[in-house]
Amino acid sequence: MREAQGNTLLEVKNISKTYQSRKRQPVYALREVGFSLQEGRCLGVVGESGCGKSTLCRVIAGIEKPDVGEILYQGEPADHRKIRSSLQMVFQNSMDAVNIHLKAGKILAEPLENFTSLNRNQREQEVERLLELVGLSAEDKAKYPRQFSGGQLQRICIARALAAEPKLLLLDEPLSSLDVSVQAQLLNLLSDLKKELHLTCLLVSHDLEAVYYLADKLLVMYGGAAVEEIEDIRDICALTHPYTRRLLEAGELETESGEAGQKDEGILTEEKREYLAASFREGCVYAGHCPRAERKCFLERPGLVEREAGHRIACHFG
Amino acid sequence: MTGENLLVAEGLSVSMREGETWIPVVYPGDMAIERGGCTGIIGESGCGKSMLCKTLLGLHDPGKWQVRGQVFFDGERVPIEADDRMDAFRGRRMSMILQDPLSAFDPRMTIGAHFLEGCKGKQKALRRREAVEWLGRMYMPEPEAVMKRYPFELSGGMLQRAMIALSLMGEPELLIADEPTTALDSTVQREILWLLARLREERGLSLLLVSHDLKVISRMADWIYVMYAGRIVEQGPVNVLLENPIHPYTKGLFRSRPAYSKERLTVMAGRPPRIGEDTGGGCPFAPRCPQADAACGEGDSKLERADEDHFVRCRHWKGKAGL
Ligand SMILES: Nc1ncnc2c1ncn2[C@@H]1O[C@H](COP(=O)(O)OP(=O)(O)O)[C@@H](O)[C@H]1O
Ligand SMILES: Nc1ncnc2c1ncn2[C@@H]1O[C@H](COP(=O)(O)OP(=O)(O)O)[C@@H](O)[C@H]1O
Ligand code: SF4
Ligand SMILES: [Mg+2]
Ligand SMILES: [Mg+2]
């Protein structure tokens, strides 16, 4: 196992965030989540939908305030008014994230007006440079969002995020609604940009293989909690948390009857899983579904502890 | 698998009306679905996969779409051109489930009401019992309670299970699943795929599975059709295609997928042509194809037999000198 090196850019400390459900029940979207991210590295965050990934992004971006916990940026408590330009976000559904009545050129010029001191002419040039940087052409600035494909529009959103010259890029499922071939194009683009611009990234996805390609380190979430973390994603096979194992195995599908019993259980507990994810419990967030769970798991929440250098896990038996 | 065909399509094509002319969307092609098997269709979005599926069920409005060719189900001709005569097939012999289960349900109606649609009086109680049974077969937790829920109250995985139950109520022999797991999480996706595989094993259900995800298709299907720009460009048994893909598009598609590696991905640049876009009469893949030469621009290739049951639509399928 390898340990983290380099200057820490972002430190997330013990963040919790609770929402109210429609039935006025508390929803524990984040439970004491913490990690640190070094400059120039990419953290992959994986977990099923509803486990709190987007909430985590929104809290880091300052769009929402955590109930408790702290975010340190370059070692100091993050003041989001000051770091607005150095921290940019790209969302899953690019069509919702842009104003469809504006031409691409205008969409890209806006952050330049807000965050840079470029004059009109310089902005024009910068828009063209940005379009080319993300693999589009300068002429595309005259087009409206509807005239782009999903993949092209996602490139516009990436270009817009880059216009502010951010240090930290938060990517919330940026590839999920795109074709495999377009995903590959964007994965290569993001990998190039990360190197060229020395970007620090947080990549949220439920596609473990895409995350493996781009990310340096990995955080696995379940039910609002970080259940496992690894500094070097290339050690992915060494992950041992029962939920991470399930996630890794979901990549394979055997239909032999031998495994069927186990899967029946997986299927039957989906509703329970949702119910459990939404309610507060003393025990482990995964206990309701864990094949290894014992009495202790339902009574005591395991903390994320270092098992060996560069590998942290929240499991009583992991 | 039986080696016997349940559904056969011959020269099936779809065109879209634009003013006075018809623009081809799916080019004439043949297709066979084996009884008890799982046939897969793969290709980028917009290449005509859903269009082809809808045609098999005669779901096209004749005012806007022109369908040519024939479909035979169990040897019997399917009247895909006549909406009023399709009732004998739709839901009874073949059914379809869609990518977005939420859009398939009426948000104002409970799940149960969807199962009872068109039922009167005494029929209702019987149908309700059947519905609960079917939901149970789909491993739905607490099926009785689910019947009283509204669509928005269920998760994506549960809704997809409800939709499968709904489409299997009439005990069809063929289930057409159009991207059934694309909108779901990987662990839930696995559960739904496992369920489909199980229905196939236990009930002999035949499947036509559409996906743009090679991983899904390669796990489930035993026969693959690869579509590009409305054309079938390669077809064959799954192991043959996976081990020995011939069409440059199939190869490109297979290579695009990251597989727990940090090695740079080989990408296919560009995008498929849009409907009605002028491809100059040549191979529609030529602008993106690493093997293309001048000849490729001079006329579309035909589907040729490369091996016993392996077909390819590429003039250079035998390879080119120096490649
Ligand atoms: N504004 C909100 N109001 C109420 N509940 C919310 C809100 N935003 C998120 N949640 C809930 O918080 C949990 C985490 O959501 P989210 O962060 O979006 O998860 P993910 O991005 O991993 O799918 C979910 O149970 C979700 O329903
Ligand atoms: N209702 C429609 N009106 C006009 N064009 C359509 C309509 N539905 C689909 N198309 C076009 O037909 C082509 C094939 O679509 P489709 O069969 O849905 O592709 P796929 O399922 O492979 O993604 C696409 O280019 C799409 O834009
Ligand atoms: S703590 Fe217990 S329930 Fe939680 S993952 Fe470990 S074994 Fe499973
Ligand atoms: Mg999210
Ligand atoms: Mg489709």
Side-chain angles (χ1 to χ4, degrees):
Chain A
M1 298 276 167
R2 287 147 275 213
E3 286 179 72
Q5 279 163 3
N7 296 335
T8 299
L9 180 72
L10 176 74
E11 217 176 326
V12 171
K13 286 184 141 175
N14 269 320
I15 284 188
S16 295
K17 175 81 192 169
T18 311
Y19 293 110
Q20 292 263 302
S21 77
R22 249 187 288 239
K23 289 172 189 152
R24 303 208 163 264
Q25 296 291 316
V27 177
Y28 297 89
L30 292 176
R31 308 180 201 234
E32 298 168 359
V33 174
F35 61 85
S36 61
L37 185 55
Q38 285 70 39
E39 244 168 63
R41 300 197 86 207
C42 175
L43 170 72
V45 179
V46 296
E48 63 193 12
S49 53
C51 75
K53 305 180 297 292
S54 297
T55 307
L56 179 63
C57 288
R58 287 196 304 268
V59 167
I60 294 173
I63 300 169
E64 287 192 63
K65 285 220 159 359
D67 302 341
V68 279
E70 205 181 9
I71 292 163
L72 302 184
Y73 186 82
Q74 291 181 321
E76 290 179 26
D79 178 349
H80 283 99
R81 276 164 313 179
K82 280 201 199 133
I83 59 172
R84 209 151 69 97
S85 67
S86 33
L87 196 156
Q88 291 288 311
M89 200 160 159
V90 177
F91 302 88
Q92 168 173 2
N93 196 339
S94 42
M95 207 47 158
D96 293 345
V98 297
N99 183 341
I100 56 165
H101 304 296
L102 296 184
K103 289 179 178 166
K106 184 77 184 133
I107 292 173
L108 295 183
E110 263 181 4
L112 294 174
E113 280 167 41
N114 293 338
F115 298 123
T116 69
S117 52
L118 300 179
N119 67 33
R120 216 187 145 84
N121 263 336
Q122 290 167 321
R123 283 203 299 265
E124 189 92 350
Q125 279 176 9
E126 181 63 5
V127 164
E128 294 181 4
R129 190 188 71 84
L130 284 167
L131 283 168
E132 277 160 19
L133 184 67
V134 297
L136 297 170
S137 68
E139 293 92 71
D140 286 327
K141 69 183 171 192
K143 289 192 194 159
Y144 287 97
R146 260 189 295 259
Q147 294 172 279
F148 292 105
S149 67
Q152 289 172 324
L153 203 55
Q154 198 55 289
R155 285 174 196 266
I156 302 267
C157 289
I158 293 170
R160 178 179 60 179
L162 295 176
E165 297 190 4
K167 273 185 136 59
L168 177 63
L169 201 55
L170 305 173
L171 303 153
D172 190 2
E173 312 235 21
L175 308 171
S176 295
S177 51
L178 303 170
D179 258 321
V180 186
S181 53
V182 183
Q183 287 186 11
Q185 293 171 5
L186 285 177
L187 278 170
N188 278 353
L189 172 70
L190 288 170
S191 154
D192 291 343
L193 291 173
K194 184 182 148 221
K195 271 182 229 135
E196 280 167 34
L197 307 176
H198 196 65
L199 287 171
T200 309
C201 307
L202 190 145
L203 172 69
V204 167
S205 176
H206 57 255
D207 181 349
L208 209 47
E209 281 162 304
V211 166
Y212 187 95
Y213 179 71
L214 205 63
D216 303 297
K217 60 187 274 184
L218 180 69
L219 184 74
V220 182
M221 290 182 64
Y222 190 90
V227 296
E228 196 161 20
E229 187 191 348
I230 197 160
E231 280 305 329
D232 190 333
I233 200 165
R234 287 169 293 181
D235 295 328
I236 195 165
C237 292
L239 293 178
T240 49
H241 192 282
Y243 173 65
T244 313
R245 293 313 308 173
R246 187 160 120 83
L247 208 57
L248 287 169
E249 280 157 22
E252 315 301 322
L253 179 100
E254 298 84 23
T255 50
E256 286 99 59
S257 43
E259 247 193 287
Q262 245 178 303
K263 281 184 205 130
D264 283 4
E265 213 178 43
I267 283 171
L268 278 167
T269 53
E270 187 184 330
E271 195 180 39
K272 204 170 149 203
R273 174 167 73 204
E274 286 185 337
Y275 163 71
L276 289 174
S279 65
F280 185 78
R281 277 161 289 113
E282 292 297 326
C284 170
V285 284
Y286 193 50
H289 318 282
C290 183
R292 276 205 247 156
E294 290 180 21
R295 203 179 139 73
K296 185 181 184 187
C297 303
F298 292 93
L299 301 175
E300 232 179 273
R301 166 110 41 90
L304 194 66
V305 292
E306 190 151 85
R307 187 168 176 265
E308 53 200 310
H311 180 198
R312 298 199 293 158
I313 178 170
C315 172
H316 290 307
F317 307 106
Chain B
M1 278 172 287
T2 53
E4 174 198 341
N5 287 330
L6 178 62
L7 183 143
V8 174
E10 289 174 358
L12 202 60
S13 70
V14 184
S15 306
M16 183 172 75
R17 180 195 284 282
E18 182 143 298
E20 295 299 295
T21 58
W22 295 97
I23 305 170
V25 178
V26 175
Y27 287 75
D30 303 335
M31 182 170 214
I33 297 173
E34 200 180 2
R35 190 191 293 278
C38 176
T39 304
I41 306 181
I42 189 165
E44 285 162 292
S45 49
C47 67
K49 305 183 294 296
S50 300
M51 225 22 106
L52 188 60
C53 293
K54 282 192 206 154
T55 311
L56 300 177
L57 281 170
L59 290 174
H60 286 304
D61 169 7
K64 186 168 179 201
W65 307 93
Q66 185 181 59
V67 176
R68 291 271 181 271
Q70 313 238 49
V71 176
F72 298 90
F73 193 91
D74 214 359
E76 196 180 328
R77 207 185 84 82
V78 183
I80 51 172
E81 69 288 346
D83 197 49
D84 54 330
R85 283 190 284 136
M86 280 303 289
D87 285 349
F89 288 91
R90 268 184 226 144
R92 284 164 210 235
R93 309 206 67 185
M94 41 183 170
S95 272
M96 185 153 155
I97 56 171
L98 306 170
Q99 168 173 351
D100 179 12
L102 197 55
S103 69
F105 288 96
D106 184 333
R108 294 159 302 179
M109 281 160 57
T110 60
I111 299 295
H114 286 87
F115 282 90
L116 300 183
E117 250 188 340
C119 272
K120 286 193 201 85
K122 277 198 203 129
Q123 267 186 323
K124 270 191 175 171
L126 184 67
R127 179 75 76 91
R128 181 171 289 124
R129 220 172 317 134
E130 278 179 9
V132 169
E133 240 169 69
W134 269 105
L135 287 171
R137 280 185 203 133
M138 300 304 125
Y139 297 89
M140 182 74 92
E142 300 179 59
E144 308 263 1
V146 165
M147 292 283 281
K148 297 192 193 99
R149 299 272 191 88
Y150 285 90
F152 71 85
E153 293 181 280
L154 301 188
S155 69
M158 286 168 85
L159 268 179
Q160 194 56 287
R161 254 174 253 157
M163 183 148 88
I164 298 174
L166 196 57
S167 56
L168 293 184
M169 281 273 281
E171 309 239 0
E173 293 141 87
L174 174 66
L175 182 68
I176 302 175
D178 190 0
E179 311 256 12
T181 60
T182 304
L184 304 175
D185 277 338
S186 58
T187 50
V188 182
Q189 173 169 336
R190 174 178 154 126
E191 290 166 3
I192 297 291
L193 292 178
W194 173 82
L195 181 63
L196 290 176
R198 187 154 166 157
L199 285 165
R200 198 184 140 194
E201 268 166 44
E202 290 180 355
R203 312 188 70 89
L205 187 70
S206 311
L207 287 173
L208 176 61
L209 180 66
V210 176
S211 179
H212 65 263
D213 188 347
L214 173 74
K215 219 163 147 191
V216 169
I217 293 285
S218 60
R219 272 186 230 149
M220 298 286 291
D222 31 53
W223 194 279
I224 303 186
Y225 287 87
V226 184
M227 282 189 76
Y228 186 75
R231 297 143 173 97
I232 292 167
V233 296
E234 186 160 7
Q235 73 185 65
V238 67
N239 52 344
V240 171
L241 246 76
L242 288 177
E243 278 157 33
N244 183 26
I246 296 179
H247 199 286
Y249 177 63
T250 313
K251 288 185 189 167
L253 211 52
F254 287 10
R255 275 197 216 114
S256 302
R257 202 41 230 169
Y260 292 121
S261 155
K262 288 190 166 288
E263 211 153 295
R264 196 171 179 77
L265 298 166
T266 323
V267 303
M268 282 189 284
R271 54 165 181 81
R274 298 202 177 87
I275 294 296
E277 192 172 317
D278 185 15
T279 50
C283 169
F285 188 58
R288 302 173 79 185
C289 181
Q291 287 183 30
D293 60 13
C296 300
E298 276 160 23
D300 200 358
S301 322
K302 291 188 180 53
L303 203 62
E304 289 179 59
R305 174 177 256 135
D307 203 347
E308 198 188 335
D309 40 16
H310 187 178
F311 294 81
V312 188
R313 190 182 191 125
C314 166
R315 68 176 65 239
H316 295 307
W317 70 267
K318 283 180 193 148
K320 281 197 314 195
L323 263 171

